[in-house]
Amino acid sequence: MDMNPPPVEELRRVDAELARLDARRAELLARRAWLLGVLYAPSGRPAAPPFPGAVAPAETSPRGAQNVLLTLGGTLLAIAALAFTLVSWGSMGIAGRSAVLLAVTSAALAAPAALLRRGLASTAEAVGALGLVLTVLDAYALHRVALPGADGLGYTAAASAVLAGVWAGYGGLLRGPRLPLPAAVAAAQLPLPLGALAAGGGPAVVAWAAAVTAAADVLVLGRPLRGEVRITAGVSAGVLAAWALLTGAGLSLTDPWTGAPLLLSCAALCLYAARAARPAASALALVAGLAAVAAVAGPPRAALASEWAVPVYVVCGLALAALWRPVRAGWIPEAVRGGFGLAGGAVAALGVLWALPPVLAGLLGPAARSGGIWSGSHAAQPLADWPATAVLVLLLGAVAAATAGGPWGRWGSVALGWSLLMALPVVLELPYAAGIAVRLVATAGALGLAVRPGGPAHDRPGRAPEPAPAPERPEGAWGASWTAMTAAPVVPVAPGALLAWTGLAAGTASAVSALLLALDVRAATFGVLGVLLALFTAAAVLGGGAVRGTAAGAAVLAAAGLVGAGAAAAGLSAAAAGLVLLLVPAGTAALAVRARSAAAELTGVAVGALALALTVPRPAVLALALALGGVIAAATALRAERRPAASWTAGALFLAAAWVRLAVWGVTVPEAYTLPVTVPALVVGFLRRRRDREASSWAAYGPGLAVTLVPGLAAVWSDPYGTRPLLLGAGALAVTLLGARFRLQAPLVLGGTALVLVGAHELAPYVVQLVGALPRWLPPAAAGLLLLAVGATYERRLREARMLRERLARMR
């Protein structure tokens, strides 16, 4: 028996057992319920089955089955009445059909009263619904019989009004059926809009009719009526008000003086509805605020030039959001104030989005270069014809965000202020020098924000960061919208860290933009790189934490740019420029002794790698560059915390420099490259084994031996002469003997393997000749005999192999 099944099988068993227990529990609960019924049931009541499984369980309740039957019956009767009225009843004309239909309608409307007295409420509901459908058919029949020439829209509007009144009176008299009153409300939505269309009214007139009807629905919402009536009125009011709002919004663009009153009326209606629908008060206030902004901004927008359209809307939106102030006096409910704030903030946000293309053009435009570096030609400013009012929109947004206060307000003011500076050169078409100056000012301001005193970016190691203060109550034009956003559950971010990272990102972006633009002119390139070096160095000195490290890395890049630009200006070749660039990692290594910055050191390493790559086309210069890099790495290894990585790097660079120099001198003997590595590696391994007797011979001697033996074996198989095989074989034999003498596994295995391979290389020609001289049947026969021999002595060979393996394992 398997006492430890696999986890998957055990999980399946546990799930099956739990399912069985659940089924048993349900069965016992059903049995308990039956027993309670037997104990407390009146005498003569038929006994239920002892277990629920005795008969098939019912899948629906009697009341549910009854309602389904009544609904199906009423629907079928309505379909039959419709077919009777529209199609035929033999040769009976429309007048005769109308008379019969009127009689049937009267009976259907009268029947629910008798049914209600008998307690058949559901049947009365179904018959009453049939009566309502029949009244619609009566109205159609009346149009066909008595008023065939009447206008269809006008007659439908009048008939809707009459039916709404009839159904409302009918529902008020019976008070039992639930359908007549909602149906009356639904029918009441048609008279005014259809009447306006029948009278030839334009979109504005129809929208006003829809707004008036929606206002009536809102009044219905304010009365204590049944839930289905209120739901019908609310949905109808929303549909008609949306129609009126969309029409008013369209008119505000084409005919503002006509659309403004309609939008204001819809806004007032939404605010009034907010009192009756408190759960949706904020959403209704948001819609009202947007409608009010569109209404107020429409006329002045039409009167001004097109470039002033967006600023007008933004000003109106910010003015609406500023209504947060009367809240303290209780003039405006909190929910309405929140909706107004979101509406104003949304309008301002849309305005900021409209103003972003110049910002992106100012940021990325310098990358679209029309000529080469230092060509003196400048690329045309993209979006140069964008309205200059975009700067005004960004300024308004920055001021509003600053007035709002709080962490998000401060962040918004910083982001928008920086965006304004980046957009200025584009919208104002500033000269080349002015464009560079504005970008440098933006960089300085952003970096200054990143290193401002007191922020968490200045936390030093060992000092716990201060807890973030509680969010302030917003104070400003966007106060309501900021309150709504900060009230949402978000990941807590310290305000100082948020501003510091924002300033660092903005400063870096504007610095790259300024540098790209400065590459058009040589003097501008040196000037911008010098300013950026000073700015990022100051940020690295004054900043803290990640800001300090990032700024230090950027300062190293600026220094590398200056060095590279100087080399290019001096006309140096790429290889010579690579040698000059090594000054940057040398400088970072020297400065790291006093000012520790991992980011600066890593950036210096990257610059050093670039310098080495530049010298690759000239191997002699590459060898010199590798040697200089090894010197820099060796100097870095003097610091204890950098010693492990720097020492290995220095050794690799020195070795690579020696190899490249040997290749330049035309040395083709691989041992000239490998022995300078093997000898010191074996010395280091010997010293390590003296300090640590438990160290493995593979770790101590394996790398050094492999560096020479592996390339030597590759050279032996391609060497037609016998000198190298003889020397390599002698060396491998010596290594093997030393490994056996001192019981060291690595020398024994590596030396023995090399010795065998060298011997195989020497015997290979003779083996080939011997195989060619043998009969063709001999190799298969020899292979068969070999297999028989191996099969006969398999167990003994395995035992001997295990013994050999144990002996090797005991070696160190």
Side-chain angles (χ1 to χ4, degrees):
M1 181 177 179
D2 186 7
M3 302 300 293
N4 295 304
V8 175
E9 177 63 21
E10 186 176 359
L11 178 61
R12 187 189 64 79
R13 295 179 184 177
V14 170
D15 290 340
E17 185 67 18
L18 289 175
R20 190 185 65 79
L21 293 175
D22 290 340
R24 180 59 178 166
R25 185 174 185 274
E27 183 179 356
L28 293 176
L29 288 176
R31 177 66 175 173
R32 180 178 182 276
W34 175 79
L35 292 173
L36 291 175
V38 170
L39 290 174
Y40 297 105
S43 61
R45 178 178 177 181
F51 285 96
V55 296
E59 294 184 356
T60 182
S61 64
R63 185 176 181 83
Q66 162 199 295
N67 291 337
V68 170
L69 293 175
L70 290 174
T71 302
L72 289 175
T75 303
L76 292 175
L77 288 174
I79 294 174
L82 183 62
F84 167 75
T85 306
L86 299 178
V87 183
S88 66
W89 205 20
S91 59
M92 183 181 295
I94 186 62
R97 282 179 277 167
S98 301
V100 173
L101 190 60
L102 180 60
V104 176
T105 302
S106 302
L109 293 176
L115 293 172
L116 288 173
R117 286 195 297 270
R118 293 178 179 272
L120 302 175
S122 298
T123 306
E125 189 78 49
V127 176
L130 175 61
L132 298 183
V133 175
L134 292 174
T135 56
V136 178
L137 296 177
D138 288 333
Y140 170 75
L142 179 62
H143 179 262
R144 292 290 303 272
V145 173
L147 302 169
D151 177 63
L153 284 176
Y155 180 79
T156 304
S160 301
V162 172
L163 289 176
V166 171
W167 292 348
Y170 181 71
L173 288 175
L174 288 183
R175 296 184 179 276
R178 306 172 68 91
L179 185 59
L181 289 180
V185 173
Q189 311 305 311
L190 301 177
L192 286 180
L194 293 181
L197 284 174
V205 177
V206 178
W208 273 108
V212 172
T213 306
D217 293 329
V218 172
L219 293 177
V220 172
L221 285 174
R223 300 188 61 186
L225 298 172
R226 286 180 174 178
E228 60 270 13
V229 178
R230 293 173 58 84
I231 291 174
T232 305
V235 172
S236 302
V239 172
L240 293 177
W243 183 2
L245 280 170
L246 292 176
T247 305
L251 291 173
S252 69
L253 299 177
T254 57
D255 189 2
W257 292 104
T258 301
L262 179 59
L263 287 172
L264 291 175
S265 300
C266 292
L269 178 61
C270 290
L271 291 178
Y272 184 82
R275 299 175 56 189
R278 295 189 181 277
S282 295
L284 290 171
L286 171 62
V287 175
L290 294 174
V293 170
V296 174
R301 176 198 59 78
L304 296 173
S306 60
E307 59 266 21
W308 289 96
V310 175
V312 167
Y313 282 104
V314 171
V315 169
C316 293
L318 294 178
L320 177 69
L323 291 178
W324 72 275
R325 294 183 181 276
V327 137
R328 296 183 179 178
W331 297 352
I332 302 177
E334 180 72 16
V336 175
R337 190 272 306 182
F340 280 175
L342 288 175
V347 173
L350 290 175
V352 170
L353 288 177
W354 171 81
L356 282 184
V359 179
L360 297 177
L363 185 63
L364 304 176
R369 190 176 312 283
S370 59
I373 295 178
W374 296 350
S375 63
S377 60
H378 312 305
Q381 289 284 358
L383 299 176
D385 57 345
W386 198 265
T389 51
V391 175
L392 177 59
V393 171
L394 294 173
L395 178 61
L396 290 173
V399 172
T403 307
W408 287 105
R410 290 194 293 271
W411 177 84
S413 64
V414 169
L416 291 176
W418 176 83
S419 301
L420 184 151
L421 290 177
M422 296 306 298
L424 274 177
V426 176
V427 297
L428 300 182
E429 300 185 37
L430 296 179
Y432 176 75
I436 293 179
V438 170
R439 288 172 172 85
L440 291 177
V441 169
T443 302
L447 292 179
L449 177 70
V451 300
R452 76 192 194 292
H458 292 259
D459 294 337
R460 295 295 192 269
R463 172 187 173 189
E466 299 180 2
E472 305 176 8
R473 183 175 183 84
E475 297 184 357
W478 282 357
S481 55
W482 297 130
T483 301
M485 286 192 297
T486 54
V490 296
V491 179
V493 178
L498 178 65
L499 290 177
W501 279 109
T502 302
L504 181 62
T508 303
S510 53
V512 172
S513 179
L515 180 58
L516 289 175
L517 186 61
L519 291 177
D520 291 343
V521 179
R522 178 183 299 183
T525 301
F526 283 99
V528 169
L529 284 172
V531 173
L532 293 180
L533 176 60
L535 290 176
F536 281 108
T537 301
V541 173
L542 300 177
V547 173
R548 178 185 182 184
T550 306
V556 173
L557 288 177
L562 275 175
V563 173
L572 299 180
S573 63
L579 288 177
V580 176
L581 272 179
L582 288 175
L583 293 173
V584 175
T588 56
L591 291 175
V593 177
R594 301 294 301 273
R596 305 296 171 85
S597 175
E601 292 184 69
L602 290 176
T603 308
V605 170
V607 174
L610 174 62
L612 294 178
L614 291 175
T615 61
V616 168
R618 296 183 61 183
V621 182
L622 174 60
L624 177 59
L626 289 170
L628 293 176
V631 172
I632 297 172
T636 305
L638 295 176
R639 295 163 49 196
E641 71 277 9
R642 296 286 184 262
R643 185 166 300 150
S647 59
W648 281 98
T649 303
L653 289 174
F654 282 134
L655 181 62
W659 285 355
V660 172
R661 175 52 60 186
L662 290 174
V664 171
W665 288 338
V667 177
T668 58
V669 179
E671 289 76 10
Y673 299 89
T674 58
L675 287 176
V677 179
T678 296
V679 172
L682 292 178
V683 172
V684 171
F686 175 75
L687 295 176
R688 179 181 179 183
R689 289 269 300 169
R690 288 187 62 182
R691 290 199 313 268
D692 183 10
R693 285 293 180 181
E694 298 299 324
S696 170
S697 63
W698 287 102
Y701 304 118
L705 292 174
V707 166
T708 292
L709 292 177
V710 174
L713 286 172
V716 161
W717 284 88
S718 60
D719 188 0
Y721 305 103
T723 305
R724 179 176 281 110
L726 179 61
L727 294 177
L728 182 60
L733 177 61
V735 170
T736 304
L737 293 176
L738 289 173
R741 169 66 180 79
F742 295 102
R743 301 170 59 85
L744 298 176
Q745 189 179 96
L748 180 61
V749 173
L750 292 176
T753 303
L755 186 60
V756 170
L757 292 176
V758 171
H761 170 267
E762 294 301 307
L763 291 176
Y766 303 103
V767 172
V768 172
Q769 294 177 5
L770 179 62
V771 170
L774 292 175
R776 295 197 175 190
W777 56 267
L778 188 58
L785 291 174
L786 178 62
L787 291 176
L788 289 175
V790 171
T793 59
Y794 184 74
E795 183 177 2
R796 195 178 72 179
R797 294 293 181 265
L798 287 178
R799 184 169 60 251
E800 293 174 353
R802 283 195 297 269
M803 294 175 60
L804 177 61
R805 185 177 60 191
E806 292 173 358
R807 290 194 187 99
L808 289 175
R810 287 194 296 269
M811 295 181 179
R812 301 302 299 173

